[in-house]
Amino acid sequence: MTSSPTARVLKADGERMTAWRTMEGLQYMKRCPALWLRAAQKVIPAALKSYPFLARFIDVTTAEGLYECYDPKHPLTRTDKRECGQNLLAYVRSLGLVAGGEHGIWWATPHLDYIEGMMSSYQFSWPAGHLIRPQSKEQRFTDPWGNQLPAWSEYERWGIGYRYRIPLWELVFHDCVVSTWYWGDSSDWLLQAAPEVTDKKDLFNILYGTIPLMWLDPRGAWNSDRQRFVRTYRLTSKLHEAVATQEMLSHEFLTPDHAAQRTRFADGTVCVVNFGEQPYTLKVSNQNLVLPRYGFWVKGPRVEQSRVLVNGETVTTVRADGYFFRETPSEWVLLRRMDGGCVRVEAFSKRGTVRIDLSSATKQWDRKSMLVYSLSSSGERRGQAQYEWLGNGRIELRVGTGWSSKSFYDILWGGRTRHPYRDSSAMGVVGCNTGKMQGVRLRYVLQPGAESASFAEQWRAKSKCCQGNMGYNHHLR
């Protein structure tokens, strides 16, 4: 939405305030905050009619300071400016939308659900706001005005360094609003120039109980390194589910070089991480746990996870209710309890087999009725699979030997084994009172060799039931 010249902020010197500037030199101007709400009321409802999103991100508003406007048509004090921002965000919330803001500021927390950028320090050595990816640590950049940006060493020390960083924002607002990284400083932004930064950012997310930010574009991890993308998700998602609404009670440096750090949350969850090159030994009860570089140990009432050295090998595990993840240099195993009588397995191993423990994901199972089905990558059951029962809920399965050839299984028992191929769902609503069918769709999967029949009856209009034709696609798998 464009604005007229008179809608721009007028400074005390009589000049109109500038705003965003592209790398090509295109200069935007600053709309006066006194007009923000009016613009939002015009733009957002119209956009929702075409694109019924569930969330709205409000750029810039919470990333800038307070200022005044001297235009007599829309004068503004600094207090007015803050209140205009609060009114804008409150309006977004009133539409039932998840509200997000940039960078973050204290007065916005009652009105925001998440903040993009609070995890970043903005000591960038590249034009992060303009989404320019460094190709190496040595590459130098200038900003849109031609000023040279700091060298990589400055970002490494102040931007992502752990020695001087204290989570003051999270200590105050962790239980109020969700924080993540800046879009041009996302978890996977530096995969080419400095892939180790992604590991470091995962560690900060674990330590602070916050969420990562990942890209789905061709150069982002989703397309360039899918396993890296999923690993970051596995390491951070269950922890954040557990502590998102919990107050961060404390943050501590555990070693003189600040490499080992600890946070505590109101529900009792404790997070310990090691940024250092040297292993850190953590004493837990009567155990000595050795955390390698980028290792961690988390224990709380809803989640437990760790990355520790076991016989010289780095072993990563995440445990939550109905959920178990393990990664070693040679294997990857994920167990998820789906619903009653089903555990889903995703795994690969360089050995070609994995041993899983059902008790990691479910408290009960029935060995006598148990069946194992192999799945396609989209989750459709293809047929029964062989497995070896090792006793006490432990099973050995044949799996692919790498990420691209990983295997998927459903382990079923009880009533779930009676109709293992049945997968039916209905989409849409039958308008029986209007005599019209509004897009009802049924989907089902049949066991190979099974027969099926579908039919529809047509009533007259006076019956006030559905009329119309019916078609179906029948696929045997």
Side-chain angles (χ1 to χ4, degrees):
M1 179 181 178
T2 59
S3 60
S4 66
T6 57
R8 301 165 184 171
V9 174
L10 183 65
K11 300 188 294 182
D13 61 4
E15 297 292 324
R16 296 289 177 177
M17 186 178 290
T18 58
W20 181 256
R21 185 182 179 92
T22 69
M23 294 300 291
E24 294 75 26
L26 177 61
Q27 182 66 64
Y28 290 84
M29 305 302 290
K30 180 75 68 175
R31 185 197 306 272
C32 181
L35 307 176
W36 284 352
L37 181 59
R38 188 188 311 168
Q41 291 171 335
K42 182 177 181 180
V43 171
I44 297 178
L48 290 174
K49 289 181 180 179
S50 300
Y51 308 100
F53 299 128
L54 301 179
R56 184 83 182 192
F57 176 73
I58 304 299
D59 207 5
V60 180
T61 306
T62 56
E64 61 181 11
L66 302 178
Y67 48 79
E68 300 163 342
C69 179
Y70 291 85
D71 192 315
K73 295 181 180 179
H74 41 79
L76 197 75
T77 66
R78 295 189 180 192
T79 298
D80 292 335
K81 198 271 184 181
R82 171 175 56 80
E83 292 176 349
C84 286
Q86 292 173 315
N87 292 337
L88 171 62
L89 299 176
Y91 171 68
V92 174
R93 269 280 191 82
S94 73
L95 298 177
L97 300 174
V98 174
E102 184 186 11
H103 295 202
I105 198 165
W106 64 269
W107 53 257
T109 53
H111 310 288
L112 290 178
D113 298 295
Y114 72 94
I115 293 176
E116 173 253 348
M118 185 53 74
M119 287 294 294
S120 297
S121 70
Y122 300 94
Q123 302 294 322
F124 304 127
S125 62
W126 66 95
H130 294 79
L131 299 182
I132 296 177
R133 293 178 185 265
Q135 303 303 303
S136 69
K137 297 179 181 179
E138 292 74 29
Q139 189 176 4
R140 297 302 300 271
F141 297 91
T142 57
D143 66 17
W145 293 269
N147 303 308
Q148 189 170 69
L149 295 174
W152 172 267
S153 58
E154 294 297 296
Y155 172 74
E156 196 167 37
R157 184 178 187 182
W158 303 110
I160 197 64
Y162 58 83
R163 288 182 174 85
Y164 310 102
R165 184 178 180 127
I166 299 173
L168 294 178
W169 177 268
E170 300 304 329
L171 283 165
V172 179
F173 294 115
H174 184 275
D175 54 333
C176 303
V177 62
V178 175
S179 299
T180 189
W181 304 92
Y182 189 55
W183 70 336
D185 184 41
S186 64
S187 301
D188 58 345
W189 192 253
L190 299 170
L191 281 179
Q192 182 170 346
E196 73 279 2
V197 170
T198 299
D199 292 313
K200 190 177 292 187
K201 288 181 176 177
D202 286 350
L203 222 58
F204 275 120
N205 283 137
I206 292 170
L207 182 66
Y208 295 178
T210 53
I211 61 173
L213 183 69
M214 308 285 278
W215 279 84
L216 303 181
D217 70 323
R219 298 176 65 188
W222 179 256
N223 288 297
S224 65
D225 189 347
R226 185 71 58 84
Q227 186 177 2
R228 171 72 268 184
F229 185 104
V230 175
R231 178 185 296 115
T232 290
Y233 172 75
R234 299 288 177 218
L235 297 184
T236 58
S237 61
K238 287 300 175 182
L239 174 59
H240 190 257
E241 287 178 17
V243 303
T245 59
Q246 300 298 318
E247 180 184 0
M248 180 189 284
L249 299 180
S250 65
H251 169 265
E252 305 166 79
F253 296 117
L254 302 179
T255 54
D257 63 357
H258 296 181
Q261 302 182 26
R262 176 171 58 204
T263 53
R264 299 179 187 274
F265 293 87
D267 69 340
T269 299
V270 179
C271 305
V272 179
V273 304
N274 178 30
F275 292 100
E277 295 182 9
Q278 300 302 316
Y280 171 72
T281 300
L282 175 68
K283 294 184 178 180
V284 180
S285 299
N286 297 322
Q287 288 183 294
N288 286 332
L289 302 178
V290 181
L291 278 59
R293 189 178 194 185
Y294 306 130
F296 53 85
W297 177 82
V298 176
K299 186 174 178 60
R302 295 180 56 193
V303 65
E304 295 182 11
Q305 60 184 70
S306 64
R307 176 180 284 160
V308 298
L309 291 176
V310 179
N311 298 324
E313 184 177 70
T314 300
V315 178
T316 302
T317 58
V318 179
R319 300 174 185 269
D321 183 36
Y323 184 97
F324 175 80
F325 171 70
R326 180 178 73 241
E327 182 183 14
T328 71
S330 60
E331 74 175 25
W332 171 292
V333 178
L334 173 67
L335 306 181
R336 290 180 295 156
R337 185 181 67 233
M338 306 304 287
D339 50 18
C342 179
V343 168
R344 181 155 293 181
V345 180
E346 172 190 315
F348 72 81
S349 171
K350 292 181 179 179
R351 300 187 309 273
T353 61
V354 293
R355 292 185 175 185
I356 65 171
D357 188 344
L358 289 175
S359 65
S360 300
T362 184
K363 295 180 180 179
Q364 58 183 0
W365 59 86
D366 179 25
R367 168 70 180 93
K368 293 182 179 179
S369 60
M370 187 173 295
L371 296 175
V372 177
Y373 284 83
S374 63
L375 307 178
S376 67
S377 58
S378 61
E380 295 180 346
R381 293 175 190 151
R382 298 185 298 191
Q384 287 193 45
Q386 299 297 316
Y387 68 93
E388 182 178 353
W389 178 258
L390 304 175
N392 297 323
R394 296 168 61 245
I395 293 175
E396 183 172 279
L397 295 168
R398 293 185 179 275
V399 295
T401 57
W403 174 260
S404 60
S405 62
K406 61 183 176 295
S407 301
F408 300 88
Y409 292 99
D410 271 351
I411 302 174
L412 309 177
W413 61 87
R416 293 298 300 272
T417 63
R418 297 171 188 165
H419 305 286
Y421 287 90
R422 186 171 63 189
D423 176 15
S424 61
S425 60
M427 300 175 61
V429 179
V430 179
C432 289
N433 291 330
T434 63
K436 296 180 180 180
M437 178 177 287
Q438 302 175 357
V440 176
R441 182 167 58 189
L442 299 176
R443 178 177 179 271
Y444 52 89
V445 181
L446 299 170
Q447 188 171 4
E451 296 182 354
S452 70
S454 302
F455 67 93
E457 295 188 31
Q458 186 175 38
W459 285 269
R460 297 184 182 276
K462 64 180 182 180
S463 66
K464 296 184 179 180
C465 256
C466 299
Q467 298 185 70
N469 299 320
M470 174 184 172
Y472 69 92
N473 294 318
H474 182 187
H475 300 280
L476 289 179
R477 295 179 174 88

